[in-house]
Amino acid sequence: MSPINCELRRATLDDLPGLRQLWSQAALPADALEKQLTEFQIANSIDGTLLACVGLQLEGRHGRIHSEVYRSLELQANLQERIWGRLQTVARNHGLWRLWTHDPNTVWRERGFQEADEAALKKLPPKFSRAKGAWLVLTLRDEATTAVCFEHEFG
């Protein structure tokens, strides 16, 4: 499969028509997701066609990955790793400690996500906990280590 030449970036209002089309294709609640427009990272082809999107809701030092949609299975196979790289960059830029997802797709486990145990769930931001079912979590940094580094740097 040849690589797709595309741009990865944060969604803007100009992307809304294409996003609504993708969300509709995936039977996602477009009206609700439209209010979360700035959470979405997108992949755009050179001609401006929206190829994929994924939401990353930020809450403190936590991020929730949601509503991942690809225009086709071929594009998913081709773009998934690049989009994952984009999510990691955004998470790093925001200094996130954990990434959470409700998506049962095995690709998350391949990326190091684990089923959240009771101790992890205590750290789940309340804004994320409305969703029912199993949560997967990926620890990016340890809060204690981050606090020690901060104290050392600025203390």
Side-chain angles (χ1 to χ4, degrees), residues 9-142:
R9 62 177 173 77
R10 186 171 147 189
T12 67
L13 277 174
D14 293 337
D15 301 310
L16 196 51
L19 283 167
R20 289 185 71 76
Q21 185 180 43
L22 277 181
W23 295 331
S24 177
Q25 166 191 319
L28 293 173
D31 290 340
L33 292 175
E34 183 175 326
K35 295 173 186 156
Q36 299 169 275
L37 173 70
T38 58
E39 292 179 8
F40 281 86
Q41 302 297 315
I42 64 166
N44 250 0
S45 69
I46 298 304
D47 70 1
T49 304
L50 187 59
L51 305 174
C53 68
V54 62
L56 179 60
Q57 179 185 7
L58 302 177
E59 183 63 32
R61 296 292 185 170
H62 299 263
R64 178 179 70 98
I65 299 169
H66 65 92
S67 309
E68 183 179 22
V69 183
Y70 296 85
R71 188 165 294 284
S72 70
L73 287 175
E74 180 184 0
L75 286 170
Q76 181 175 354
N78 211 313
L79 293 174
Q80 207 162 37
E81 281 307 310
R82 290 182 60 195
I83 289 176
W84 172 234
R86 171 74 182 171
L87 290 175
Q88 289 175 303
T89 298
V90 173
R92 218 176 7 261
N93 289 345
H94 285 277
L96 298 185
W97 292 335
R98 281 181 195 74
L99 288 174
W100 301 84
T101 189
H102 238 193
D103 186 343
N105 191 329
T106 57
V107 73
W108 298 114
R109 292 183 192 277
E110 293 167 9
R111 292 180 178 144
F113 282 75
Q114 298 176 350
E115 192 159 330
D117 59 17
E118 283 190 45
L121 288 172
K122 288 179 183 175
K123 297 173 183 180
L124 180 69
K127 286 190 177 181
F128 296 176
S129 64
R130 287 178 292 167
K132 294 182 166 100
W135 281 96
L136 298 177
V137 62
L138 175 65
T139 301
L140 303 172
R141 321 190 149 125
D142 181 13

